[in-house]
Amino acid sequence: QKEVEQNSGPLSVPEGAIASLNCTYSDRGSQSFFWYRQYSGKSPELIMFIYSNGDKEDGRFTAQLNKASQYVSLLIRDSQPSDSATYLCAVKFADSWGKFQFGAGTQVVVTP
Amino acid sequence: DAGITQSPRYKITETGRQVTLMCHQTWSHSYMFWYRQDLGHGLRLIYYSAAADITDKGEVPDGYVVSRSKTENFPLTLESATRSQTSVYFCASSEWGQGAGEQYFGPGTRLTVT
């Protein structure tokens, strides 16, 4: 069973601070890694993806990938109350025919 | 409007009834997926499709049937609904070779089986 693990939280972050979310995965053959944001009662919304080791930045979001250690992280800089949501990590494995394995998600609460 | 839509958005049905959830996408994406999301379980894949007339089981397929006669549609049928199928159902699509194969989600269908 290929697994994707996330801390469930809630992760409480003061407004303006950096939120750091982590995700580990079990399959070394994993190809691509995705972060989704899901507001309560809404569908998952793609934030960004990464498939090369290192950092990838998009606005206030930075994804970090370390394939040797099998983890991917998401940093949210200058956290805003509107960032309060559940963040889902998803992994596309090498033999997956486009399928993802999702983590259970980390709930982030940004406090004013 | 372009995108991925699901219908109905909310459905209440009784145990034993057949229910069909609809999913339609306008991107002509090859891949389509059905997930259910329950508290404590996250998103679990029910069925997926790589193209019209090509479907396969995901992690939790029991009690569900899918078909895909046209690229843009991917209906999910609960043959005889049970209370354990009360959930939020999401449809998603992606395209092979586009970006990293990211999936885009529909708005979801909240199904209650009484």
Side-chain angles (χ1 to χ4, degrees), chain B residues 5-12 19-23 34 76 89 107-111:
Chain B
T5 57
Q6 294 183 235
S7 62
R9 295 293 313 279
Y10 302 90
K11 176 75 176 178
I12 300 174
V19 177
T20 296
L21 310 184
M22 303 301 293
C23 178
W34 274 107
L76 175 73
Y89 291 85
T109 295
R110 183 174 295 274
L111 176 68

Side-chain angles (χ1 to χ4, degrees), chain B residues 28-98:
Chain B
S28 298
H29 282 172
S30 298
Y31 291 107
M32 295 188 75
F33 309 86
W34 274 107
Y35 294 91
R36 61 178 290 174
Q37 188 173 39
D38 308 285
L39 280 174
H41 289 282
L43 281 163
R44 292 184 290 175
L45 182 66
I46 305 170
Y47 269 95
Y48 68 101
S49 170
D53 296 324
I54 301 175
T55 62
D56 203 354
K57 297 177 180 179
E59 182 184 352
V60 288
D62 293 344
Y64 303 95
V65 174
V66 294
S67 62
R68 195 172 176 202
S69 57
K70 293 184 177 181
T71 299
E72 61 267 29
N73 296 325
F74 191 37
L76 175 73
T77 298
L78 288 66
E79 295 182 295
S80 178
T82 65
R83 290 194 179 88
S84 65
Q85 292 177 310
T86 292
S87 186
V88 179
Y89 291 85
F90 290 106
C91 178
S93 71
S94 68
E95 182 57 40
W96 182 84
Q98 176 177 304

Side-chain angles (χ1 to χ4, degrees), chain A residues 6-74:
Chain A
Q6 296 181 254
N7 290 327
S8 61
L11 177 65
S12 183
V13 180
E15 185 174 356
I18 296 175
S20 179
L21 291 76
N22 294 319
C23 172
T24 60
Y25 58 94
S26 61
D27 186 5
R28 286 192 172 274
S30 301
Q31 288 185 324
S32 307
F33 308 84
F34 305 81
W35 284 101
Y36 286 83
R37 176 176 62 198
Q38 187 175 25
Y39 292 115
S40 180
K42 301 295 185 181
S43 59
E45 171 191 14
L46 180 69
I47 299 173
M48 62 191 306
F49 61 82
I50 187 169
Y51 46 77
S52 299
N53 277 328
D55 295 359
K56 180 181 179 183
E57 187 174 315
D58 185 356
R60 295 187 295 111
F61 299 98
T62 298
Q64 300 174 318
L65 175 60
N66 184 323
K67 289 187 176 180
S69 299
Q70 295 177 240
Y71 82 80
V72 56
S73 61
L74 180 71

